[in-house]
Amino acid sequence: MDRLSTVANGLTSAQVAGAKPNHVPRRSSRSLSAIVRANVFTLFNLVIGVLWALVLIFGEWQDSLFGLVIVANVLIGIVQELRAKRTLDKLAVINEAPVRVRRDGEERLVQPRQLVLGDLILLGPGDRLLVDGEVVESDGLEVDESLLTGEADPVHKQPGDGVLSGSFAVAGAGAFVATRVSTDAYAVKLAEEASKFHLAHSELREGVANFIKYITWLVIPIGALLIYSQLKHSADFGTAITGAVAGIVTMIPEGLVLMTSIAFAVGVVRLGRRKCLVQELPAIEGLARVDVLCLDKTGTLTAGGMDLDQVLPLRDDHPIEDALAALAHLDHSPNATAQAIRARYQGARDGWTAGETVPFSSARKWSGADFGERGAWVLGAPDVLLDGGDAYDQAAGLAATGARVLVLGRARTLPAPQANGTRIKADGADIEASRADVEAGGADVAAGGADVEAVALVTLKQRVRPDAHETLRYFAKQGVTVKVISGDNPTAVSAIATGLEIPDAHRSIDARDLPYDDEAKLGELLDSHTVFGRVSPQQKRQFVTALQARGHTVAMTGDGVNDVLALKDADLGIAMGAGSPATKAVAQVVLLDDKFATLPHVVGEGRRVLANIERVSNLFLTKTFYAIVLSLLVGVAGIMFPFAPRHSTLTNALTIGVPALFLALAPTFERSKPGFVRRVLRFAVPAGILCAAAVLLSFWAAHSGTSTLVEDQTSAVITLFLTTWWVLVLIARPLNWWRIALVASMAAAFAIGLTIPFVRHFFALEPGDLSDDLTAVGISIVAAVMISVAVKVAGTLRT
């Protein structure tokens, strides 16, 4: 009796209080302890901490300033990531769709974390299953388990069947009792086995990690050689240690990881202010690489709702309005079409009681019910339910105006539901379709020998988003190709796309006529056409794969359950906030306020992050390579290192640290291209080698005279600043007013520092020998010219 009561009425409040809750860790961000560990316990921090201690013990405290930079890096990194974490967690809560449950005999909405073991959970199309359970009610319930099993066909569920978390309802309605919740649920177990905190593929992150790895292996032997050389050729142990430390510290790109983290974190926060949830941080990188944007018409180009426009009778001897009202009120979770019809016909008519029903699904593109003595009725796409004739032609003419057109039909018997978008012939012939034809959505299938007689045409007005036109113009200017992919009639989709001035929108294709098993041919058609109609959910997935095979980086937007598979496979899945829970669960980016106009900001933010990280990577790795070359030459030659740690702290702050902070957050419209690592190396290696050569030449020229060691080091520091400052100028291009002000202020700060006695004394600078200093300037000018030529030849300058 308890089980029967639970099935009928759900749990009582007392049972809910004592049941196991559905506590699942969010995947949008890592924990506080993980953030602290990631920023504090790094190999570089360990190396620099040891070097810092050595300088404090054996050298002067002014030479230990580099240690404070590391402390600042750690604090800034933790604060920025915590800021991003708070933004992500707040938006994740907003994004969590409430779950319909029945408790104490009443239907309620609860948050996912408020579900408990034994809850009676209600399902409708688009609802995501968050826990495992057993079906107890089914009204044509179909569940898509492809994200778990890989099987594309929806599974019909009957009472007693099991359901797994991670799947989603695609048609019909039903209810199930939760049998496994929290970390016992199937999908949660899979996620935990994979990773508690998973990041999507990121060329940028992997590139930076590879830089760090290789530099680590270089620092160890070169640092050992440098220490040996300085100890062997220096009479002063403290001077030897500080010289060695100066070379080793300069080799470490300690700020590169920080700047990458800051850029990602600031990007998340900026997008969060626009009610855009980035569920995986590296998704920001994907935004920058997108060159093809696949748009689902409904919910993206058009607003989610529709209005019933006309009901055009084709026969006068049928109860058209009664049949429409009855069909629209069958579904407990009505879609936009049913809602529009319900708005005009407020309730089902008396005597219209349905027996057998076939719920609507985006794959079938029709729904129907058998009303006993009143007959079997179907409502759906004319090109699926009809096979030519006057009604078919009239529907095509209406669709050409951009209206959404449905046909209301009368059948001898209710057609049997097919898995995918199939045409139902009215000639009564039984045709067995091949699996390939069915999956392509192009087969002619006689559903149980049913005749479908067109009784009326129904037109619905779709609301084009007011911001769609400007948004599409932005993508055209940015070189992003738009593909409109819809389950609707291709003529209607083409009319709307043409009105929005999408290039080549007049050339539409019916997806049922596309090749199913020839990916190369499919890719060619996708490249040459813009509008695709009558696309099945499985085909949307195929489209994404075919475009990726042709070298495109594909973003997919959608809001319906039919978009889930394509969103999952796209390089970047973007879900609308008003979309189904299933789409929001698999997408990397969710537009919570449902504004299509947010997309340009999303793409722009991704481009800003990647382009600017590449700029600052050039800065930091130029420093690393000149330090490696200097350390090698000094170690082999057995001479003093040309500057002390405090000197590198000063020059690095003015030519790398401060400018990098501004450049990493600057606006930019450059579309990122693959090959991040290769481009950075082609810039940093020649620039670093030439900087090192110029510094060593200035130090040698000054050292060969009668000047002191501090004066010789001052000449080297002048050359080091001027050459790295010129590298900054090249990287900051194209120069606008604020970038000119930035590089000019860095030069002015260095010049002022040389004139103020306190600053000169603090940083151990003595520009006393005019001839040596002028020689250093001359060498710097020659080196700057050579750097410009070298990087231009390498093809890395931005124009």
Side-chain angles (χ1 to χ4, degrees), residues 153 363 418-422 431-445 512 516 536 538-539:
D153 294 336
Q418 301 294 328
N420 288 282
T422 57
I431 302 173
E432 184 178 352
S434 68
R435 175 177 174 80
D437 285 336
V438 171
E439 289 187 348
D444 290 330
V445 180
R512 293 169 298 186
Y516 170 72
S536 70
Q538 199 58 25
Q539 280 183 303

Side-chain angles (χ1 to χ4, degrees), residues 344-401:
R344 181 172 297 184
Y345 305 112
Q346 297 294 325
R349 305 299 192 259
D350 293 337
W352 287 76
T353 303
E356 183 184 357
T357 63
V358 177
F360 177 84
S361 81
S362 56
R364 277 191 296 273
K365 307 188 190 308
W366 62 273
S367 63
D370 189 337
F371 295 100
E373 62 181 19
R374 298 186 183 276
W377 292 78
V378 293
L379 178 68
D383 46 348
V384 171
L385 294 175
L386 304 180
D387 186 31
D390 293 340
Y392 184 94
D393 294 337
Q394 186 177 348
L398 291 168
T401 66

Side-chain angles (χ1 to χ4, degrees), residues 268-522:
V268 167
V269 173
R270 283 179 172 175
L271 291 176
R273 289 172 182 161
R274 295 186 179 275
K275 295 293 185 285
C276 176
L277 169 61
V278 180
Q279 305 205 79
E280 298 177 358
L281 290 179
I284 290 181
E285 178 180 344
L287 301 173
R289 303 193 191 283
V290 167
D291 62 347
V292 173
L293 176 64
C294 296
L295 299 174
D296 177 54
K297 174 185 69 66
T298 305
T300 305
L301 295 181
T302 60
M306 290 185 288
D307 299 316
L308 181 60
D309 186 18
Q310 300 180 80
V311 177
L312 305 173
L314 302 174
R315 296 281 304 269
D316 295 329
D317 54 345
H318 287 286
I320 294 172
E321 293 187 352
D322 291 349
L324 271 178
L327 288 171
H329 284 83
L330 279 177
D331 200 336
H332 297 295
S333 302
N335 57 20
T337 300
Q339 289 175 4
I341 297 174
R342 283 185 178 193
R344 181 172 297 184
Y345 305 112
Q346 297 294 325
R349 305 299 192 259
D350 293 337
W352 287 76
T353 303
E356 183 184 357
T357 63
V358 177
F360 177 84
S361 81
S362 56
R364 277 191 296 273
K365 307 188 190 308
W366 62 273
S367 63
D370 189 337
F371 295 100
E373 62 181 19
R374 298 186 183 276
W377 292 78
V378 293
L379 178 68
D383 46 348
V384 171
L385 294 175
L386 304 180
D387 186 31
D390 293 340
Y392 184 94
D393 294 337
Q394 186 177 348
L398 291 168
T401 66
R404 185 170 190 176
V405 184
L406 303 174
V407 62
L408 175 67
R410 180 80 180 267
R412 283 204 307 263
T413 59
L414 186 65
Q418 301 294 328
N420 288 282
T422 57
R423 293 184 180 128
I424 300 174
K425 280 190 171 180
D427 58 9
D430 291 322
I431 302 173
E432 184 178 352
S434 68
R435 175 177 174 80
D437 285 336
V438 171
E439 289 187 348
D444 290 330
V445 180
D451 276 336
V452 176
E453 178 189 12
V455 173
L457 295 178
V458 179
T459 64
L460 299 109
K461 291 188 294 185
Q462 302 181 86
R463 309 161 188 164
V464 176
R465 291 184 179 273
D467 51 9
H469 192 271
E470 283 300 316
T471 304
L472 292 168
R473 284 182 59 189
Y474 166 84
F475 286 121
K477 290 179 181 178
Q478 295 300 312
V480 177
T481 303
V482 171
K483 305 291 181 185
V484 182
I485 300 173
S486 175
D488 286 351
N489 183 291
T491 306
V493 180
S494 177
I496 291 175
T498 301
L500 291 170
E501 299 181 5
I502 297 176
D504 297 324
H506 61 284
R507 301 178 62 195
S508 61
I509 290 184
D510 190 319
R512 293 169 298 186
D513 300 327
L514 291 173
Y516 170 72
D517 54 358
D518 189 345
E519 188 174 277
K521 179 63 175 176
L522 177 61

Side-chain angles (χ1 to χ4, degrees), residues 183 196 204 237 244 286 302 422 448 526 535 542 636 715 722:
T183 53
K196 288 187 178 179
L204 175 63
F237 184 79
T302 60
T422 57
L526 287 168
V535 185
Q542 271 187 293
V636 171
S715 296
L722 291 176

Side-chain angles (χ1 to χ4, degrees), residues 286 290-295 544 553-557 567 570-574:
V290 167
D291 62 347
V292 173
L293 176 64
C294 296
L295 299 174
V544 169
T553 301
V554 182
M556 176 78 193
T557 71
L567 286 171
D571 296 288
L572 184 72
I574 304 172

